[in-house]
Amino acid sequence: SLVAIWFVSAVTFALVIKRAYLHTFYDLDTASSFNRKTFLHLRKDQDLEQSNTLTRHPDVYKAWGDELIKPWTIKNWNRWE
């Protein structure tokens, strides 16, 4: 059956892949927490990359509240005008 073929393929793939790369196929972070980490770990001079984080779906950054976005926006507003 198709399920059996899929299972055999997945197991075979897991057995032949380099163990060092196995962690790249799963992560427990949600999209919101991943993007929050990205936003926080960018350098202060990477405004374009930080603003690109905010182009994702609003639900991704809505969970952050105003604690990150509002101070960052206020701090950089004069420079952007």
Side-chain angles (χ1 to χ4, degrees):
S1 83
L2 189 57
V3 173
I5 293 171
W6 179 89
F7 184 75
V8 169
S9 298
V11 169
T12 303
F13 178 74
L15 291 174
V16 299
I17 190 172
K18 290 183 180 180
R19 296 285 181 240
Y21 300 136
L22 198 55
H23 76 279
T24 63
F25 289 95
Y26 62 90
D27 193 352
L28 298 178
D29 278 342
T30 62
S32 180
S33 64
F34 173 79
N35 281 289
R36 181 185 172 102
K37 285 181 195 176
T38 302
F39 187 86
L40 290 173
H41 287 95
L42 289 170
R43 293 187 320 266
K44 300 299 179 196
D45 62 341
Q46 292 180 301
D47 286 332
L48 181 61
E49 290 82 359
Q50 283 182 313
S51 64
N52 284 340
T53 304
L54 302 176
T55 62
R56 311 292 190 268
H57 193 277
D59 286 342
V60 170
Y61 56 84
K62 190 183 340 179
W64 305 353
D66 288 339
E67 66 190 51
L68 291 176
I69 301 170
K70 193 171 186 175
W72 175 75
T73 304
I74 291 170
K75 183 180 78 173
N76 293 300
W77 189 262
N78 289 333
R79 202 165 42 118
W80 297 331
E81 282 189 319

